[in-house]
Amino acid sequence: MDKLLIRGGHPLHGEVTISGAKNAALPDLCAALLTAEPVVLRNVPRLQDVATMLQLIRNMGVEAEHASDGSVRIDASRLSTPEAPYELVKTMRASVLALGPLLARFGEATVSLPGGCAIGSRPVEQHIKGLQAMGAQIVVEHGYMIARLPEGRTRLQGTRITTDMVTVTGTENFLMAAALAEGETVLENAAMEPEIVDLAEMLIKMGARIEGHGTSRITIQGVERLHGCDHQVVADRIEAGTFLCAVAATGGDVVLRHARADHLGAVLDKLRDAGVQIEAVEGGLRVKSAGRLKGQSFRTTEYPGFPTDMQAQFMALNVISRGAVSVTETIFENRFMHVNELVRLGAKIQIDGKVAMVEGVERLSGATVMATDLRASASLVIAGLVATGETVVDRIYHLDRGYDCMEAKLRAIGADIERI
Ligand code: EPU
C-alpha cells in the first residue's frame, strides 16, 4: 500500500496549476448519459474517483476515454445497461449521480444504495423522494434502488421539490432528471455550490432550459431531447484551498494558476484574518505567508459558507497557529477522524460533539499517521509539511481518490515529499 514520506520544514515557492474540480467532473460525466450525441469534457482531473466514474459508465456500454490532454470524449449512444453495481458504488458514493440521468433518458435505472462512509452515514433518501415526486417508482431491494417510470409513461414529470436539507448531489440528480422531464420543475432549498453552476452551464449547452442556478431556487423547463456539447470543467476550489493552507502553514510565496477567489470567499476571509497575504493575479491567486499565524474559529456550512471539504486542512493550520479556537462541523456527523492523527504529531485538540477545540502549539513533530478519508489525508500532508523530522502518511489511496498528482505538485514548489 502506498504511503507518503514527508520531511517537513521547507517553505513553498513557485507556481501550481489547479486542476478541474473532482466534484464538478463527476456530475458532468453523468450528465453526458442524458444524450446519444458525443460530449467532450475538458480539464477533467486525473484522479481515482474520475477513473471509477469512467469505469461505471463504460460498464453501462458507454464509450469514454481520458486523453492525455485531460479531455474525455463520451459517447452514450449505445448505453445498454442502465445499472450501477455495488462493486463500483461501494468505492465511490458519487455513483448515485447516475440515478437521475439514467431514469430521465431510459425510464429505468438500477443503482446500488451507497453505504455509510468514514465521514458519516450519508443517506440518499432525499434523492429518492425527489425523483418519486417526479413520478418515478423506486423500490429498494437487495441493496439496490430499482427505479422505473409507471406503465405507459415515457418521461418524468416536472414538479416542485423542497429538500429537507441542502444536498449537493441531490440537487445535481434533480437538475439532470428535470432537464428531460415533462414541464416545469422548481428546486427549492437547492445547493448553490460552484459545481452546481458548472453542471447547469453544461446542461444549458446541451439544450436544457435552466434558470436560477447559483441560487437556492432553480427552475427547469424540461425539453424532449438534449444534445452533445463541449464543456470545460471548473477549477477545483477545494484543491486550491488545500494549497492555500499548505503555503500558509509552511510559509512561502506561491501562485495558484486557475484558482478563483470568487469561489473561495469564506476560506480567503479566514486566511487573511489569520495573517496570510492573498492577492488576485492574472489567471489565478498569489499566496504569501511568513511567521506564525493567528488561529481562526470557524463553522462549516453550505456554500457560500465555509466548506466542510476544507475543515480538516484549515484545522491543520490552526493546530500550529497562535491561540485557542473552535472548529464546528455542521454538515457531517463524523468528520473529525483526522483529529487523533494530528494529535499524534503533537497537536492539542479536544472534541466535544460537533466542536473541536484547538490550542495552537509552536511545533509539530513527525510521526507515522493514517489517512482515513480524502480531506483528512490532505490535512495530514499539510501537518507533515510543517512538522520537524519525518512524517509517514499511510493509506494515501484516500488522497489519490480526489487530488490530481498532489505530491508531484508539492514537490515542484519545494516540498520534500515522496511516495514509498
Ligand atoms: N443528506 C441526507 N439525506 C440525503 C442527502 C444528504 O441526510 O438524501 C445529508 C448528508 O448526510 C449530509 C448533508 O445532508 O449530512 C449534506 O450532504 P450532501 O448531499 O450535500 O453531500 P453529497 O452530495 O453526498 C457532496 C460532495 C462532498 C461534500 C458535500 C458537502 C460530491 C461528489 N461530493 O457530497 O465532497 O463534502 O457535498 O459539501 O460532490 C469530498 O470531496 O471530499 C466530499 C466528501
Side-chain angles (χ1 to χ4, degrees), residues 22-24 26-27 49 92-97 117 119-128 163 165-172 191 193 195 237-238 301-303 307-309 330-333 335 373-375 401-402:
K22 165 180 88 80
N23 289 347
L26 298 175
D49 275 9
M92 186 185 62
R93 300 177 44 83
S95 313
V96 72
L97 286 165
C117 78
I119 62 177
S121 60
R122 305 184 73 181
V124 290
E125 86 292 350
Q126 300 296 315
H127 300 237
I128 296 178
T163 44
M165 76 288 292
V166 178
T167 156
V168 174
T169 49
T171 303
E172 290 164 348
E193 271 70 1
E195 294 76 22
R237 66 196 164 99
I238 306 301
T301 56
E302 296 83 6
Y303 190 85
T308 173
D309 290 346
T330 73
I331 307 292
F332 291 111
E333 67 269 27
R335 212 172 195 183
D373 81 78
L374 170 55
R375 310 301 171 186
R401 282 191 44 204

